[in-house]
Amino acid sequence: MNQRLVLFTKHLLDGMFGLGVLLTASIPIFFSWVGKYFINFRIYYIPLTILYVLSGILCLMILWQLRHMFDTVLADDAFVDANTISLQKMARYSLFISLLSALRLPFSPTPATVFIMIVFFIAALFSMVLSQVFAKAVQYKKENDLTI
């Protein structure tokens, strides 16, 4: 395994997490400024702010799970139950983001909103399937560890 690539990706995730915290926290300020130029953000300031902040928090939760998964990869022990659980959590978070995007459609009917809705729904499906693959791999690993 290319350890440098894994470390680079781990640092990238760490940076994305930090930037995500700043961006999510700044949504109310940013939307009040954007409301000066776009009427939808002025009229629907509160619902859009709530929906985007919730989506941002869920994205941060996905990044948090990915960071924990990378810790196991760096420890050369990726096939553990904790990663299966992380993938299941990421599937739920992605599904919730997709649903929040659907709720945003009446306030901000844009192609980007539909695209985000579809992307996170597909991410939820892939995470669910990948969690099942990981669960099977963990099972095989445990059986292999018991074999002398």
Side-chain angles (χ1 to χ4, degrees):
M1 170 178 25
N2 187 346
Q3 202 70 356
R4 287 176 43 186
L5 178 62
V6 174
L7 278 172
F8 171 78
T9 307
K10 172 74 164 100
H11 293 309
L12 183 65
L13 282 172
D14 292 342
M16 288 170 61
F17 185 80
L19 184 62
V21 169
L22 292 173
L23 289 173
T24 301
S26 68
I27 286 172
I29 298 164
F30 180 69
F31 280 11
S32 67
W33 177 75
V34 170
K36 296 176 183 175
Y37 305 99
F38 297 99
I39 193 160
N40 277 5
F41 284 90
R42 190 168 45 246
I43 295 171
Y44 303 116
Y45 172 79
I46 291 175
L48 284 175
T49 300
I50 291 169
L51 291 170
Y52 274 93
V53 167
L54 289 174
S55 294
I57 291 169
L58 288 167
C59 285
L60 289 171
M61 292 167 73
I62 290 171
L63 288 172
W64 186 262
Q65 293 301 320
L66 284 171
R67 290 172 72 223
H68 282 293
M69 288 181 71
F70 267 86
D71 288 338
T72 64
V73 172
L74 288 170
D76 204 25
D77 192 23
F79 295 107
V80 291
D81 289 322
N83 286 348
T84 302
I85 293 167
S86 287
L87 285 164
Q88 291 168 350
K89 288 179 180 179
M90 290 188 315
R92 285 193 300 271
Y93 302 154
S94 295
L95 188 60
F96 289 144
I97 292 170
S98 183
L99 293 173
L100 287 172
S101 296
L103 292 174
R104 268 194 345 241
L105 275 174
F107 306 112
S108 178
T110 64
T113 303
V114 174
F115 181 74
I116 289 170
M117 199 170 72
I118 293 168
V119 165
F120 277 98
F121 182 75
I122 292 170
L125 294 176
F126 277 118
S127 293
M128 283 184 233
V129 171
L130 198 53
S131 75
Q132 293 174 2
V133 171
F134 258 75
K136 200 59 148 170
V138 169
Q139 178 187 349
Y140 290 146
K141 181 182 177 280
K142 287 178 181 177
E143 289 173 3
N144 188 41
D145 289 347
L146 292 175
T147 304
I148 297 176

